[in-house]
Amino acid sequence: MKKVFVTRQIAEEALQILMQNAKVTVHSGDLPPEKNEIIEQVKDAQGLVTLLTDQIDAEIINHGKQLIVISNVAVGYDNIDVETATRRGIYVTNTPGVLDDATADLAFTLLLAVARRIPEADSFVRTGQWKGWDPNLLLGSDLKDKTLGIIGLGRIGSEIAKRAKCFKMKIIYYQPQRDPEKEKSVGAKYASLKELLSKSDFISLHVPLTSETKDLIGKKELNQMKKTAYLINTSRGPVVDEQALYQALVEGKIRGAALDVFDQEPISADNPLLKLKNVVLTPHIGSATLETRTRMAVLAAQNTVKALNNETPPHLINPKVLEYKKNPNSK
Ligand code: GLV
C-alpha cells in the first residue's frame, strides 16, 4: 500500500479520502513539523500533503525517492521548490477556486476594519477610555465613491471587486496582462501600476509571490500613494517591503494598513508594526473558515489520490512534469 505523510491535522473528511487509498501518517501537534521529521517521513512516502508553513526544499524532495505527488493545502505554492519536484517527475498540486470567497471576505473585512478603525475602537471601549459621546471620536473613512485599486484581478481579486461594488466604490485594477472580459464582468477599469498607486484610496494585493512580485510595493511605490491611502495585504508578506511600509506609516506617507501576511510568520514579538495604531494585523487567516478549510483539505486529498492512481491530478501546477514522466532521462 502506498504511504502518504500529512504535515498537519487536516479535516477528517479529507483524511478519510486518503485513508481509503493509502496508509496515512499525520504529524500531530499544534506546530508544523521540523524539517527532520518531514525528511524521515518522506523517505518511504509516495504522497506528501503539505501546508504553506512547510518549506519543501530540494533537500526534502531529494529524500523522497518514491515520491509521486506533493499536494499543497493552499492556493499559493511559494513554499515548494517546484522546479526540483518537476525535474524529479513529481506532481505538485494546489487548491484553487475553493477559497476565493473566504479570502475576499477577509480582505474586505480588513479594509472595513482599517477604514473604520475597529481594533482601536474595540480597545478604546475595553480599556475604559469611553467617557462620553464625542463628534470627533475615532473618525474613519467613507467607502462610498472612494477608489479601490486591486493589484491582481484573478479569482480572489474579482471577488473583492464584487464586494466593493456593493459598497459603492469605484474600482481600478492593475496586472501585467489586461483582461478586458474580466474587467467588464466585475466593472473594473484598467490602470498602470503608477496610475493605480496615485489614484487609489484603498489598495488590495492579490498576487502570488514570485521573483517578479517580491517587494512589488516598496518605498518608491508607497511614495506614489495618496497620504490618505490604505494598503491591504492578504497575499504574501514579501510582496510588500515591510520596512518601507513601516516607515511610510510612521511618516504619514499613507494613512493605514491592514495585513494578514508578513515577511516572517509568525511575526516576532519586537516587530515594530505591533506598536502602530494605524495598522490592523491578523495571523494569515485569509481562508480560515471551517467550510473553506474543509473544502481545501478535501481537494488536496483528491489531488493526492488521483496522482497515486497514476492519473494526472486536476490541480496540477507543474504540467511540465508530464514531459519528465514520459521521458525520465530528461531529468
Ligand atoms: C493561503 O494563503 C493560500 O495560499 O491558500
Side-chain angles (χ1 to χ4, degrees), residues 44 64 89 105 107-108 157 194 197-199 201 209 223 235 289:
D44 58 348
D105 284 349
F108 212 80
K194 197 168 162 210
L197 293 168
S198 63
K199 283 192 173 163
D201 300 295
L209 174 62
N223 280 336
S235 63
T289 68

Side-chain angles (χ1 to χ4, degrees), residues 100-318:
D100 307 341
D101 284 299
T103 308
D105 284 349
L106 195 267
F108 212 80
T109 302
L110 287 177
L111 187 155
L112 282 164
V114 74
R116 298 302 301 270
R117 305 172 62 179
I118 299 301
E120 270 181 273
D122 181 86
S123 146
F124 186 84
V125 176
R126 285 174 197 271
T127 53
Q129 296 174 68
W130 189 21
K131 304 293 183 207
W133 193 85
D134 175 347
N136 299 309
L137 178 64
L138 287 161
L139 300 184
S141 164
D142 272 349
L143 266 57
K144 180 175 181 282
D145 296 332
K146 295 288 167 71
T147 297
L148 169 64
I150 299 175
I151 300 187
L153 194 67
R155 286 181 299 256
I156 299 170
S158 304
E159 286 302 327
I160 279 280
K162 290 182 201 162
R163 284 152 179 76
K165 271 251 121 73
C166 301
F167 283 78
K168 305 172 188 165
M169 299 181 86
K170 296 179 207 148
I171 302 152
I172 58 178
Y173 81 102
Y174 164 76
Q175 61 191 21
Q177 296 275 324
R178 191 172 172 171
D179 187 341
E181 230 166 81
K182 184 76 75 59
E183 59 190 70
K184 219 161 130 198
S185 78
V186 301
K189 282 206 172 96
Y190 188 72
S192 67
L193 179 60
K194 197 168 162 210
E195 204 183 337
L196 180 141
L197 293 168
S198 63
K199 283 192 173 163
S200 298
D201 300 295
F202 296 86
I203 294 177
S204 193
L205 303 173
H206 301 284
V207 293
L209 174 62
T210 64
S211 49
E212 276 94 53
T213 61
K214 184 166 174 353
D215 292 333
L216 181 68
I217 304 297
K219 185 173 175 183
K220 180 172 134 237
E221 290 73 25
L222 288 156
N223 280 336
Q224 288 170 26
M225 287 166 63
K226 291 184 182 179
K227 281 197 161 40
T228 51
Y230 299 89
L231 180 70
I232 293 103
N233 190 10
T234 53
S235 63
R236 285 293 183 268
V239 172
V240 177
D241 176 342
E242 212 171 270
Q243 282 285 353
L245 174 63
Y246 172 76
Q247 281 307 329
L249 288 162
V250 170
E251 291 165 13
K253 296 258 162 74
I254 65 170
R255 188 178 278 164
L259 310 170
D260 186 47
V261 288
F262 305 87
D263 258 352
Q264 187 199 320
E265 295 180 8
I267 60 173
S268 61
D270 60 358
N271 188 315
L273 286 171
L274 291 169
K275 296 226 160 66
L276 300 184
K277 278 195 172 159
N278 52 345
V279 187
V280 180
L281 307 165
T282 51
H284 203 148
I285 53 167
S287 62
T289 68
L290 186 57
E291 300 88 340
T292 295
R293 286 281 163 85
T294 302
R295 278 197 298 268
M296 290 166 72
V298 165
L299 205 53
Q302 289 166 343
N303 283 328
T304 308
V305 169
K306 275 271 185 202
L308 294 184
N309 290 335
N310 285 325
E311 289 174 60
T312 305
H315 302 100
L316 186 62
I317 56 188
N318 59 341

